[in-house]
Amino acid sequence: MSLPPLVLALAAVVGVLLGLLGGGGTILAVPLLTYVAGMPTKEAMAASTVIVGVTAALSLAAPSRRGTVAWRTGALFGAATMAGAFGGGALGARLPDTLLMVLFAVLMAAAGLAMLRRRSTQRTRPTPGAVAVLGQGLGVGLLTGMVGAGGGFLIVPALVMLGGLSMPIAVSTSLLVIAMKSLTGMAGYLTTVSIDWPTTLLVTAAMVAGSLIGSSIARRVPASALKRSFGVLVLAMSLVVLTVELPGLWGLGAGFLVAVAGVALGSWSNTGSERGDDDEGSRPGSPAQDREPAQAGPRAARLGDQRSGGR
């Protein structure tokens, strides 16, 4: 199929968002391929697994160099999600298109709400048994493999709660899990669906190029405000998908419920964000404290030397 320039332009924009946010942007790949590129639903979801997998694998390079990837935990959890994703892809290839898009819209709404929610301090928990890890991995893989989504907002909490990882390590490790499960999710879809490889690879290249641009300017953009804005965009897209795919009042009703949930959660997030940011800086082990030494360590050391020398 011929690819309109608008598709590549929008793919690059999604890639920039991906680079700025460090994740989450690829959830817009399915609406882009379906409503703008004109791909059939199942083919778009199969192509999305390729896009998500490639971008996750390439994004893994930087945290790997920093040593913030828990390879063993990620491989174990990723193996479970791979099995689930293959089943999800194979099942998704056989479900009605409307049902798939509605499930995808629900997943988009959940992702948007997760971006609006203030992230509380995560405490390391005792690692549960293998059965719980395998069960959670299979469930996450099945759901995200079915609709061609990355599912980082599901994987990161699972790695924190089940794997006992800190939030920064879990975020980095989730890229490994997403890359692994996307491979088998694609394989599951390919049992009955063919992929338009030229279009898929062009969109993937545009998104990767955009993500490199986004990564290069990420430090100049307020990440928290951008993440909330992107959460609103993802919620809005879920409303569009629901109203397009569901007939009449059903679509409007479902969209209304998602909008109410988004407004309520967004208001709560904005009300407490200032207090939450202040609290983060004072809590031991908080992300704010984790970042502080890396950014201000040399300066703090010089100030300490000056003070000690003046006594």
Side-chain angles (χ1 to χ4, degrees):
M1 59 181 290
S2 59
L3 192 62
L6 177 62
V7 174
L8 294 179
L10 291 176
V13 171
V14 171
V16 170
L17 291 172
L18 173 65
L20 288 172
L21 295 168
T26 52
I27 200 166
L28 296 178
V30 170
L32 173 65
L33 293 172
T34 303
Y35 298 135
V36 183
M39 275 191 182
T41 299
K42 293 182 177 65
E43 186 177 329
M45 291 185 174
S48 177
T49 62
V50 178
I51 296 169
V52 170
V54 170
T55 53
L58 292 177
S59 300
L60 188 62
S64 177
R65 288 194 298 268
R66 294 195 300 266
T68 57
V69 179
W71 293 100
R72 183 176 180 275
T73 301
L76 289 174
F77 190 77
T81 61
M82 287 178 78
F86 180 84
L91 177 62
R94 293 166 173 81
L95 291 177
D97 289 355
T98 299
L99 178 58
L100 280 176
M101 290 304 293
V102 170
L103 288 174
F104 181 77
V106 171
L107 196 65
M108 284 188 76
L113 293 173
M115 292 177 189
L116 291 175
R117 187 175 61 240
R118 285 186 295 118
R119 180 175 289 171
S120 59
T121 302
Q122 300 286 342
R123 295 179 176 87
T124 301
R125 296 174 173 84
T127 304
V131 174
V133 175
L134 289 174
Q136 182 92 356
L138 285 170
V140 170
L142 180 70
L143 178 60
T144 57
M146 191 185 307
V147 297
F153 74 101
L154 294 172
I155 295 170
V156 171
L159 290 172
V160 171
M161 292 185 291
L162 299 179
L165 304 182
S166 66
M167 182 60 71
I169 300 295
V171 170
S172 298
T173 306
S174 70
L175 295 171
L176 171 64
V177 176
I178 291 170
M180 292 173 65
K181 75 171 191 59
S182 295
L183 178 64
T184 55
M186 177 190 66
Y189 260 103
L190 287 178
T191 56
T192 56
V193 175
S194 60
I195 294 178
D196 181 351
W197 286 106
T199 297
T200 301
L201 294 177
L202 282 173
V203 171
T204 302
M207 199 171 290
V208 168
S211 70
L212 296 176
I213 296 173
S215 299
S216 66
I217 61 176
R219 293 183 180 180
R220 308 173 201 170
V221 180
S224 59
L226 180 66
K227 188 172 185 179
R228 285 194 294 271
S229 299
F230 186 69
V232 172
L233 174 62
V234 171
L235 268 178
M237 279 303 306
S238 72
L239 300 183
V240 171
V241 173
L242 285 172
T243 52
V244 168
E245 299 296 333
L246 291 177
L249 294 177
W250 286 103
L252 293 176
F256 177 76
L257 291 177
V258 171
V260 169
V263 169
L265 190 55
S267 299
W268 173 76
S269 176
N270 291 333
T271 301
S273 60
E274 183 175 350
R275 185 182 64 186
D277 291 342
D278 292 341
D279 290 345
E280 274 192 356
S282 60
R283 289 192 207 102
S286 69
Q289 281 195 340
D290 290 343
R291 290 192 299 266
E292 186 68 16
Q295 295 173 353
R299 181 183 175 191
R302 289 196 299 270
L303 289 174
D305 292 341
Q306 292 173 3
R307 289 170 184 165
S308 62
R311 290 195 185 102

